[in-house]
Each structure stands twice: as C-alpha cells, then as structure tokens.
Coordinates of all heavy atoms in Angstrom, one line a residue:
M1 N -10.7 0.2 16.3 CA -9.6 -0.1 15.6 C -8.9 1.2 15.1 O -9.5 2.1 14.6 CB -10.0 -1.0 14.4 CG -8.8 -1.6 13.6 SD -9.1 -2.7 12.3 CE -10.7 -3.4 12.6
K2 N -7.6 1.2 15.2 CA -6.8 2.4 14.8 C -6.8 2.5 13.3 O -6.8 1.5 12.6 CB -5.4 2.2 15.3 CG -4.5 3.4 15.1 CD -3.1 3.0 15.7 CE -2.1 4.2 15.5 NZ -0.8 3.9 16.1
P3 N -7.0 3.8 12.7 CA -6.9 3.9 11.3 C -5.6 3.4 10.8 O -4.6 3.5 11.4 CB -7.0 5.5 11.1 CG -7.5 6.0 12.4 CD -7.1 5.0 13.4
Y4 N -5.6 2.8 9.6 CA -4.4 2.2 9.1 C -4.0 2.6 7.7 O -4.8 3.2 7.0 CB -4.6 0.6 9.1 CG -5.3 0.0 8.0 CD1 -4.6 -0.7 7.0 CD2 -6.7 0.0 8.0 CE1 -5.3 -1.3 6.0 CE2 -7.4 -0.7 7.0 CZ -6.7 -1.3 6.0 OH -7.4 -1.9 5.0
C5 N -2.8 2.5 7.4 CA -2.2 2.7 6.1 C -1.7 1.4 5.6 O -1.0 0.7 6.2 CB -0.9 3.7 6.3 SG 0.0 3.9 4.8
L6 N -2.3 1.1 4.4 CA -1.9 -0.2 3.7 C -0.6 0.1 2.9 O -0.7 1.0 2.0 CB -3.0 -0.7 2.9 CG -2.8 -2.0 2.1 CD1 -2.3 -3.1 3.0 CD2 -4.0 -2.4 1.4
V7 N 0.4 -0.6 3.2 CA 1.7 -0.5 2.5 C 1.9 -1.8 1.7 O 2.1 -2.8 2.3 CB 2.9 -0.3 3.4 CG1 4.2 -0.2 2.7 CG2 2.6 1.0 4.3
A8 N 1.8 -1.7 0.4 CA 2.1 -2.9 -0.5 C 3.4 -2.6 -1.3 O 3.4 -1.9 -2.3 CB 0.9 -3.1 -1.4
Q9 N 4.5 -3.1 -0.7 CA 5.8 -2.9 -1.3 C 6.5 -4.2 -1.5 O 6.6 -5.0 -0.6 CB 6.6 -1.9 -0.4 CG 6.1 -0.5 -0.4 CD 6.3 0.2 -1.7 OE1 7.3 -0.1 -2.4 NE2 5.4 1.1 -2.0
T10 N 7.1 -4.4 -2.7 CA 7.9 -5.6 -2.9 C 9.2 -5.5 -2.2 O 9.7 -6.5 -1.7 CB 8.2 -5.7 -4.5 OG1 6.9 -5.6 -5.1 CG2 8.9 -6.9 -4.8
Y11 N 9.9 -4.3 -2.1 CA 11.2 -4.2 -1.5 C 11.1 -3.8 -0.1 O 10.5 -2.9 0.3 CB 12.0 -3.2 -2.3 CG 12.2 -3.5 -3.7 CD1 11.4 -2.9 -4.7 CD2 13.1 -4.5 -4.1 CE1 11.5 -3.3 -6.1 CE2 13.2 -4.9 -5.5 CZ 12.4 -4.3 -6.4 OH 12.6 -4.6 -7.7
P12 N 11.8 -4.6 0.8 CA 11.8 -4.4 2.2 C 12.2 -3.0 2.6 O 11.6 -2.4 3.6 CB 12.7 -5.5 2.8 CG 12.7 -6.5 1.8 CD 12.6 -5.8 0.5
H13 N 13.2 -2.4 2.0 CA 13.7 -1.1 2.4 C 12.6 0.0 2.1 O 12.4 0.9 2.9 CB 15.0 -0.7 1.7 CG 14.9 -0.5 0.3 ND1 14.8 -1.5 -0.6 CD2 14.9 0.6 -0.5 CE1 14.8 -1.1 -1.9 NE2 14.8 0.3 -1.8
M14 N 11.9 -0.2 1.0 CA 10.8 0.8 0.7 C 9.6 0.6 1.7 O 9.1 1.6 2.2 CB 10.2 0.5 -0.7 CG 11.2 1.0 -1.8 SD 11.3 2.8 -1.8 CE 9.7 3.2 -2.5
A15 N 9.3 -0.7 2.1 CA 8.3 -0.9 3.1 C 8.6 -0.3 4.4 O 7.8 0.3 5.1 CB 8.0 -2.4 3.2
A16 N 9.9 -0.4 4.8 CA 10.4 0.1 6.1 C 10.2 1.6 6.1 O 9.7 2.2 7.1 CB 11.8 -0.3 6.3
N17 N 10.6 2.3 5.0 CA 10.4 3.8 4.9 C 8.9 4.2 5.0 O 8.6 5.1 5.7 CB 11.0 4.3 3.6 CG 12.5 4.2 3.6 OD1 13.2 4.2 4.7 ND2 13.1 4.2 2.5
C18 N 8.1 3.4 4.3 CA 6.6 3.7 4.3 C 6.1 3.5 5.7 O 5.2 4.3 6.2 CB 5.9 2.9 3.3 SG 6.4 3.3 1.6
R19 N 6.5 2.4 6.4 CA 6.0 2.1 7.7 C 6.4 3.3 8.7 O 5.5 3.7 9.5 CB 6.7 0.9 8.3 CG 5.9 -0.4 8.0 CD 6.4 -1.5 8.9 NE 7.8 -1.7 8.8 CZ 8.4 -2.6 8.0 NH1 7.7 -3.2 7.1 NH2 9.7 -2.7 8.0
R20 N 7.6 3.8 8.6 CA 8.0 4.9 9.4 C 7.2 6.2 9.2 O 6.7 6.8 10.1 CB 9.5 5.3 9.2 CG 10.4 4.6 10.1 CD 11.8 5.2 10.0 NE 12.4 5.1 8.7 CZ 13.0 4.0 8.2 NH1 13.1 2.9 8.9 NH2 13.5 4.0 7.0
V21 N 6.9 6.5 7.9 CA 6.1 7.7 7.6 C 4.7 7.5 8.2 O 4.1 8.4 8.8 CB 6.1 7.9 6.1 CG1 5.0 9.0 5.8 CG2 7.5 8.4 5.6
A22 N 4.1 6.3 7.9 CA 2.7 6.1 8.4 C 2.6 6.2 9.9 O 1.7 6.8 10.5 CB 2.2 4.7 7.9
A23 N 3.6 5.6 10.6 CA 3.6 5.6 12.1 C 3.8 7.0 12.6 O 3.2 7.4 13.6 CB 4.7 4.7 12.6
S24 N 4.6 7.8 11.9 CA 4.8 9.2 12.4 C 3.5 10.0 12.2 O 3.4 11.1 12.9 CB 5.9 9.9 11.6 OG 5.5 10.2 10.3
E25 N 2.5 9.6 11.4 CA 1.2 10.2 11.3 C 0.1 9.6 12.1 O -1.0 9.8 11.8 CB 0.9 10.3 9.8 CG 1.8 11.1 8.9 CD 1.9 12.6 9.3 OE1 0.8 13.1 9.7 OE2 3.0 13.1 9.3
W26 N 0.5 8.7 13.0 CA -0.4 8.1 13.9 C -1.3 7.1 13.2 O -2.4 6.8 13.6 CB -1.2 9.0 14.8 CG -0.4 9.9 15.6 CD1 0.1 11.1 15.3 CD2 0.2 9.6 16.9 NE1 0.9 11.6 16.3 CE2 1.0 10.6 17.3 CE3 0.1 8.4 17.7 CZ2 1.7 10.6 18.5 CZ3 0.8 8.4 18.9 CH2 1.6 9.5 19.2
L27 N -0.8 6.5 12.1 CA -1.6 5.5 11.4 C -0.9 4.1 11.7 O 0.3 4.0 11.8 CB -1.5 5.7 9.9 CG -2.2 6.9 9.4 CD1 -1.9 7.2 7.9 CD2 -3.7 6.8 9.6
E28 N -1.7 3.1 11.8 CA -1.1 1.7 12.0 C -0.7 1.3 10.6 O -1.5 1.1 9.7 CB -2.2 0.8 12.5 CG -1.7 -0.6 12.7 CD -2.8 -1.6 13.1 OE1 -3.9 -1.2 13.2 OE2 -2.4 -2.7 13.3
P29 N 0.7 1.0 10.4 CA 1.1 0.6 9.1 C 0.9 -1.0 9.0 O 1.4 -1.7 9.8 CB 2.6 0.9 9.0 CG 3.0 1.0 10.5 CD 1.8 1.4 11.3
I30 N 0.1 -1.4 8.0 CA -0.1 -2.8 7.7 C 0.6 -3.1 6.4 O 0.3 -2.4 5.4 CB -1.6 -3.1 7.6 CG1 -2.3 -2.7 8.9 CG2 -1.8 -4.6 7.3 CD1 -2.0 -3.5 10.1
C31 N 1.5 -4.0 6.3 CA 2.4 -4.2 5.2 C 2.1 -5.6 4.5 O 1.8 -6.6 5.2 CB 3.8 -4.1 5.5 SG 4.3 -2.5 6.2
T32 N 2.3 -5.6 3.2 CA 2.2 -6.8 2.4 C 3.2 -6.7 1.3 O 3.5 -5.6 0.9 CB 0.8 -7.1 1.9 OG1 0.8 -8.4 1.2 CG2 0.3 -6.0 1.0
R33 N 3.7 -7.8 0.7 CA 4.7 -7.8 -0.4 C 4.1 -8.0 -1.7 O 4.8 -8.1 -2.7 CB 5.8 -8.8 -0.1 CG 6.6 -8.4 1.2 CD 7.8 -9.2 1.4 NE 8.7 -8.9 0.3 CZ 9.9 -9.4 0.2 NH1 10.3 -10.2 1.1 NH2 10.7 -9.1 -0.8
D34 N 2.8 -8.2 -1.8 CA 2.2 -8.4 -3.1 C 0.7 -7.9 -3.2 O 0.1 -7.6 -2.2 CB 2.2 -9.9 -3.5 CG 1.4 -10.8 -2.6 OD1 0.2 -10.6 -2.5 OD2 2.0 -11.7 -2.0
G35 N 0.3 -7.7 -4.4 CA -1.1 -7.1 -4.6 C -2.2 -8.0 -4.1 O -3.2 -7.5 -3.6
A36 N -2.1 -9.3 -4.3 CA -3.1 -10.2 -3.8 C -3.3 -10.1 -2.3 O -4.4 -10.1 -1.8 CB -2.8 -11.7 -4.2
G37 N -2.2 -10.0 -1.6 CA -2.2 -9.9 -0.1 C -2.9 -8.6 0.3 O -3.6 -8.5 1.2
A38 N -2.6 -7.5 -0.5 CA -3.2 -6.2 -0.2 C -4.7 -6.2 -0.4 O -5.5 -5.7 0.3 CB -2.6 -5.1 -1.1
M39 N -5.1 -6.9 -1.5 CA -6.6 -7.0 -1.8 C -7.3 -7.8 -0.6 O -8.3 -7.4 -0.2 CB -6.8 -7.8 -3.1 CG -6.3 -7.1 -4.3 SD -7.4 -5.8 -4.9 CE -8.1 -6.7 -6.3
R40 N -6.6 -8.8 -0.2 CA -7.2 -9.7 0.9 C -7.3 -8.8 2.2 O -8.3 -8.8 2.9 CB -6.3 -10.9 1.1 CG -6.8 -11.9 2.0 CD -6.0 -13.2 2.0 NE -4.6 -13.1 2.0 CZ -3.8 -13.2 0.9 NH1 -4.4 -13.6 -0.3 NH2 -2.5 -13.1 0.9
L41 N -6.3 -8.0 2.5 CA -6.3 -7.2 3.7 C -7.4 -6.1 3.6 O -8.1 -5.9 4.6 CB -5.0 -6.4 3.9 CG -3.9 -7.3 4.5 CD1 -2.5 -6.6 4.3 CD2 -4.2 -7.5 6.0
M42 N -7.6 -5.5 2.4 CA -8.7 -4.5 2.3 C -10.1 -5.2 2.4 O -11.0 -4.6 3.0 CB -8.6 -3.8 0.9 CG -7.5 -2.9 0.8 SD -7.5 -1.7 -0.6 CE -7.3 -2.8 -2.0
K43 N -10.2 -6.4 2.0 CA -11.5 -7.1 2.2 C -11.8 -7.4 3.6 O -12.9 -7.4 4.1 CB -11.6 -8.4 1.3 CG -11.8 -8.1 -0.1 CD -11.8 -9.3 -1.0 CE -11.9 -8.8 -2.5 NZ -11.8 -9.9 -3.4
E44 N -10.7 -7.8 4.3 CA -10.8 -8.2 5.8 C -11.0 -7.0 6.7 O -11.8 -7.0 7.6 CB -9.6 -8.9 6.2 CG -9.4 -10.3 5.6 CD -8.1 -10.9 6.0 OE1 -7.2 -10.3 6.7 OE2 -7.8 -12.0 5.4
R45 N -10.3 -5.9 6.4 CA -10.2 -4.7 7.3 C -11.0 -3.5 6.8 O -11.2 -2.6 7.6 CB -8.8 -4.3 7.5 CG -8.0 -5.3 8.3 CD -6.6 -4.7 8.6 NE -6.8 -3.5 9.4 CZ -6.1 -3.3 10.5 NH1 -5.3 -4.2 11.0 NH2 -6.3 -2.2 11.2
G46 N -11.4 -3.5 5.6 CA -12.1 -2.4 5.0 C -11.0 -1.4 4.4 O -9.8 -1.7 4.4
A47 N -11.5 -0.3 3.9 CA -10.6 0.6 3.2 C -9.6 1.2 4.2 O -10.0 1.7 5.3 CB -11.4 1.7 2.6
P48 N -8.3 1.3 3.8 CA -7.3 2.0 4.6 C -7.5 3.5 4.5 O -8.2 4.0 3.5 CB -6.0 1.6 4.1 CG -6.3 1.2 2.6 CD -7.7 0.7 2.6
L49 N -7.0 4.2 5.4 CA -7.1 5.7 5.3 C -6.1 6.2 4.2 O -6.4 7.2 3.6 CB -6.6 6.3 6.7 CG -7.0 7.7 6.9 CD1 -8.5 7.9 6.9 CD2 -6.5 8.2 8.3
V50 N -5.0 5.5 4.0 CA -4.1 5.8 3.0 C -3.6 4.5 2.4 O -3.3 3.5 3.1 CB -2.8 6.6 3.5 CG1 -1.8 6.9 2.5 CG2 -3.3 7.8 4.2
L51 N -3.3 4.5 1.1 CA -2.7 3.3 0.4 C -1.4 3.8 -0.3 O -1.4 4.8 -1.0 CB -3.7 2.8 -0.7 CG -3.1 1.8 -1.7 CD1 -2.8 0.5 -0.9 CD2 -4.0 1.5 -2.8
I52 N -0.4 3.0 0.0 CA 0.9 3.2 -0.6 C 1.3 1.9 -1.3 O 1.4 0.9 -0.6 CB 2.0 3.6 0.4 CG1 1.6 4.9 1.2 CG2 3.4 3.9 -0.3 CD1 2.6 5.2 2.3
A53 N 1.5 1.9 -2.6 CA 1.7 0.7 -3.3 C 2.8 0.8 -4.4 O 2.9 1.9 -5.0 CB 0.4 0.2 -3.9
D54 N 3.5 -0.2 -4.6 CA 4.5 -0.3 -5.7 C 3.7 -0.6 -7.0 O 2.7 -1.4 -7.0 CB 5.4 -1.5 -5.4 CG 6.5 -1.6 -6.4 OD1 6.5 -0.9 -7.4 OD2 7.5 -2.4 -6.1
V55 N 4.0 0.1 -8.0 CA 3.3 0.0 -9.3 C 3.5 -1.5 -9.8 O 2.5 -2.0 -10.4 CB 3.9 0.9 -10.4 CG1 3.4 0.6 -11.8 CG2 3.5 2.4 -10.0
S56 N 4.6 -2.1 -9.6 CA 4.8 -3.4 -10.2 C 4.8 -4.5 -9.2 O 5.7 -5.3 -9.1 CB 6.2 -3.4 -11.0 OG 7.2 -3.0 -10.1
L57 N 3.7 -4.6 -8.4 CA 3.6 -5.7 -7.4 C 3.3 -7.0 -8.1 O 2.7 -7.0 -9.2 CB 2.3 -5.4 -6.5 CG 2.5 -4.2 -5.5 CD1 1.1 -3.9 -5.0 CD2 3.4 -4.6 -4.4
P58 N 3.8 -8.1 -7.5 CA 3.4 -9.4 -8.1 C 1.9 -9.7 -7.8 O 1.3 -9.2 -6.9 CB 4.3 -10.4 -7.3 CG 4.9 -9.6 -6.2 CD 4.7 -8.2 -6.4
H59 N 1.4 -10.5 -8.7 CA 0.0 -11.0 -8.6 C -1.1 -10.0 -9.0 O -1.9 -10.3 -9.8 CB -0.3 -11.7 -7.3 CG 0.7 -12.7 -6.8 ND1 0.9 -13.9 -7.5 CD2 1.5 -12.7 -5.8 CE1 1.9 -14.5 -6.9 NE2 2.3 -13.8 -5.9
V60 N -1.1 -8.9 -8.4 CA -2.0 -7.8 -8.7 C -1.2 -6.5 -8.7 O -0.6 -6.2 -7.7 CB -3.2 -7.7 -7.7 CG1 -4.1 -6.5 -8.0 CG2 -4.0 -9.0 -7.7
D61 N -1.1 -5.8 -9.9 CA -0.2 -4.6 -9.9 C -0.8 -3.5 -9.2 O -2.0 -3.5 -8.8 CB 0.2 -4.3 -11.3 CG -1.0 -3.7 -12.2 OD1 -1.9 -3.1 -11.6 OD2 -0.9 -3.9 -13.4
G62 N 0.0 -2.4 -8.9 CA -0.4 -1.3 -8.2 C -1.6 -0.5 -8.7 O -2.5 0.0 -8.0
L63 N -1.7 -0.4 -10.1 CA -2.8 0.3 -10.7 C -4.1 -0.5 -10.5 O -5.1 0.2 -10.1 CB -2.5 0.4 -12.2 CG -1.4 1.3 -12.6 CD1 -1.1 1.3 -14.0 CD2 -1.6 2.8 -12.1
A64 N -4.1 -1.8 -10.6 CA -5.3 -2.6 -10.3 C -5.7 -2.4 -8.8 O -6.9 -2.4 -8.5 CB -5.1 -4.0 -10.7
L65 N -4.7 -2.4 -8.0 CA -5.0 -2.2 -6.5 C -5.6 -0.9 -6.2 O -6.6 -0.8 -5.4 CB -3.6 -2.4 -5.8 CG -3.7 -2.5 -4.3 CD1 -4.6 -3.7 -3.8 CD2 -2.3 -2.6 -3.7
V66 N -5.2 0.2 -6.9 CA -5.8 1.5 -6.6 C -7.2 1.5 -7.1 O -8.1 2.0 -6.5 CB -5.0 2.6 -7.3 CG1 -5.7 3.9 -7.3 CG2 -3.6 2.8 -6.6
K67 N -7.5 0.8 -8.3 CA -8.9 0.8 -8.8 C -9.8 0.1 -7.7 O -10.9 0.5 -7.5 CB -8.9 0.0 -10.1 CG -8.6 0.8 -11.3 CD -8.8 -0.1 -12.5 CE -8.4 0.7 -13.8 NZ -8.6 -0.2 -15.0
E68 N -9.3 -1.0 -7.2 CA -10.1 -1.7 -6.2 C -10.3 -0.9 -4.9 O -11.3 -0.8 -4.3 CB -9.5 -3.1 -5.8 CG -10.3 -3.9 -4.9 CD -11.6 -4.3 -5.4 OE1 -11.8 -4.4 -6.6 OE2 -12.6 -4.4 -4.5
F69 N -9.2 -0.2 -4.5 CA -9.2 0.7 -3.4 C -10.3 1.8 -3.6 O -11.1 2.1 -2.6 CB -7.8 1.3 -3.2 CG -7.7 2.4 -2.2 CD1 -8.0 2.2 -0.8 CD2 -7.3 3.7 -2.6 CE1 -7.8 3.2 0.1 CE2 -7.1 4.7 -1.6 CZ -7.4 4.5 -0.3
R70 N -10.4 2.4 -4.7 CA -11.4 3.4 -5.0 C -12.8 2.9 -5.0 O -13.7 3.7 -4.7 CB -11.1 4.0 -6.4 CG -9.8 4.8 -6.5 CD -10.0 6.1 -5.8 NE -8.7 6.9 -5.8 CZ -8.1 7.4 -4.7 NH1 -8.7 7.3 -3.6 NH2 -7.0 8.0 -4.8
R71 N -13.0 1.6 -5.2 CA -14.4 1.1 -5.1 C -14.9 0.9 -3.7 O -16.1 0.7 -3.5 CB -14.4 -0.3 -5.9 CG -14.2 -0.2 -7.3 CD -14.4 -1.6 -8.0 NE -14.1 -1.5 -9.4 CZ -13.3 -2.2 -10.0 NH1 -12.7 -3.2 -9.4 NH2 -13.0 -2.1 -11.3
L72 N -14.0 0.9 -2.8 CA -14.4 0.6 -1.4 C -15.1 1.8 -0.8 O -14.7 3.0 -1.1 CB -13.2 0.2 -0.5 CG -12.5 -1.0 -0.9 CD1 -11.2 -1.2 -0.1 CD2 -13.4 -2.2 -0.7
A73 N -16.0 1.6 0.1 CA -16.8 2.7 0.7 C -15.8 3.5 1.5 O -14.9 3.1 2.2 CB -17.8 2.1 1.7
G74 N -15.9 4.8 1.3 CA -15.1 5.8 2.0 C -13.7 6.0 1.5 O -12.9 6.9 2.0
A75 N -13.3 5.4 0.4 CA -12.0 5.5 -0.2 C -11.9 6.4 -1.5 O -10.9 6.6 -2.0 CB -11.4 4.1 -0.5
A76 N -13.1 6.8 -1.9 CA -13.1 7.6 -3.2 C -12.2 8.8 -3.2 O -11.6 9.1 -4.2 CB -14.5 8.0 -3.5
A77 N -12.1 9.5 -2.1 CA -11.2 10.7 -2.0 C -10.0 10.5 -1.2 O -9.2 11.4 -0.9 CB -12.0 11.8 -1.5
A78 N -9.8 9.2 -0.7 CA -8.6 9.0 0.1 C -7.3 8.9 -0.7 O -7.3 8.6 -1.9 CB -8.8 7.6 0.9
P79 N -6.2 9.3 -0.1 CA -4.9 9.4 -0.9 C -4.4 8.0 -1.2 O -4.4 7.1 -0.4 CB -4.0 10.1 0.0 CG -4.6 10.2 1.4 CD -6.0 9.9 1.2
A80 N -4.0 7.8 -2.4 CA -3.3 6.6 -2.9 C -2.0 7.0 -3.5 O -2.0 7.9 -4.4 CB -4.2 5.8 -3.9
L81 N -0.9 6.5 -3.1 CA 0.4 6.8 -3.6 C 1.0 5.6 -4.3 O 1.0 4.5 -3.7 CB 1.4 7.3 -2.5 CG 1.0 8.6 -1.8 CD1 0.1 8.3 -0.6 CD2 2.2 9.3 -1.4
L82 N 1.5 5.8 -5.5 CA 2.1 4.7 -6.2 C 3.6 5.0 -6.3 O 4.0 6.1 -6.5 CB 1.6 4.6 -7.6 CG 0.2 4.0 -7.7 CD1 -0.3 4.0 -9.2 CD2 0.1 2.5 -7.2
T83 N 4.4 4.0 -6.0 CA 5.9 4.1 -6.1 C 6.4 3.2 -7.1 O 5.8 2.3 -7.6 CB 6.5 3.8 -4.7 OG1 6.3 2.4 -4.4 CG2 6.0 4.6 -3.6
A84 N 7.6 3.5 -7.6 CA 8.3 2.7 -8.6 C 9.8 2.7 -8.2 O 10.4 3.7 -8.0 CB 8.1 3.3 -10.0
A85 N 10.4 1.5 -8.2 CA 11.8 1.4 -8.0 C 12.5 1.8 -9.3 O 12.1 1.4 -10.4 CB 12.1 -0.1 -7.6
S86 N 13.6 2.5 -9.1 CA 14.4 2.9 -10.3 C 15.8 2.4 -10.3 O 16.6 2.9 -11.1 CB 14.3 4.5 -10.4 OG 14.9 5.0 -9.3
A87 N 16.1 1.5 -9.4 CA 17.5 1.0 -9.3 C 18.0 0.5 -10.6 O 19.2 0.5 -10.9 CB 17.6 0.0 -8.2
G88 N 17.1 -0.1 -11.4 CA 17.6 -0.8 -12.6 C 17.6 0.2 -13.8 O 18.0 -0.2 -14.9
L89 N 17.1 1.4 -13.7 CA 17.0 2.3 -14.8 C 18.4 3.0 -15.0 O 19.0 3.4 -14.1 CB 15.9 3.4 -14.6 CG 14.5 2.9 -14.5 CD1 13.6 4.0 -14.2 CD2 14.1 2.1 -15.7
R90 N 18.7 3.2 -16.3 CA 20.0 4.0 -16.6 C 19.6 5.0 -17.7 O 18.9 4.7 -18.6 CB 21.0 3.0 -17.1 CG 21.5 2.0 -16.0 CD 22.4 1.1 -16.5 NE 22.6 0.0 -15.6 CZ 23.7 -0.5 -15.2 NH1 24.8 -0.1 -15.8 NH2 23.8 -1.4 -14.3
S91 N 20.3 6.1 -17.6 CA 20.0 7.1 -18.7 C 21.1 7.0 -19.8 O 22.1 6.4 -19.7 CB 20.0 8.5 -18.1 OG 21.1 8.7 -17.3

C-alpha cells in the first residue's frame, strides 16, 4: 500500500490544495470532511505518513484528531499540520 497523507478539511478548496501538495510528494491523498471520518480512516488504514487537518472539524476537532494520531504506532514523530480558515475574521 502506498504511503498516504490524511487530509481532514471542511472546505473543498482547502482539501483540493492539500491533495495537490500530497500528490506532488508521492503520497496518496485520502480526504475526509470531518473528524469522525478521519478517525475511522486511521483505524482502518493505520497511521498516515502526514496528517493535515482543519482545527474546527465537525464531530471531532483537529486538536483531538492530532492527539489520536500521536497515539498510533509510528506516528509519534510524524508531521501533523493544523489549518484554520480565516475568511470570516476581520481586523
């Protein structure tokens, strides 16, 4: 099985960007739109080589997802990136 990058992003445009980056690094991008789906994928496939997640995912937030990711065998030192949409923020 090809090493994979788990992309958990609520917004399709963010997921598309993350998919492109993962594919350019020879990783299979596996995408989900919520934290519960990401947890399920990690249980089925094992730890991804890289995790990219939105902080404010529905069902299970990005911080809880990273905690679970770190518990998986082989993921203690693997990169985890958290993203946050800022479209609604104003200064």
Side-chain angles (χ1 to χ4, degrees):
M1 189 176 334
K2 185 176 181 179
Y4 80 104
C5 173
L6 179 54
V7 177
Q9 291 290 330
T10 306
Y11 299 102
H13 69 283
M14 288 291 289
N17 289 336
C18 294
R19 267 195 310 269
R20 265 193 301 280
V21 169
S24 74
E25 296 298 323
W26 300 95
L27 296 169
E28 178 185 6
I30 304 293
C31 299
T32 183
R33 294 189 68 177
D34 63 60
M39 296 278 258
R40 192 169 39 258
L41 281 166
M42 287 193 296
K43 286 180 183 169
E44 290 171 3
R45 295 186 59 129
L49 198 60
V50 178
L51 171 65
I52 305 173
D54 187 348
V55 169
S56 57
L57 289 167
H59 309 296
V60 177
D61 69 31
L63 294 173
L65 189 57
V66 169
K67 278 186 182 179
E68 184 60 28
F69 172 61
R70 292 284 178 234
R71 289 187 188 128
L72 296 173
L81 295 91
L82 289 173
T83 63
S86 61
L89 297 178
R90 296 175 192 225
S91 51

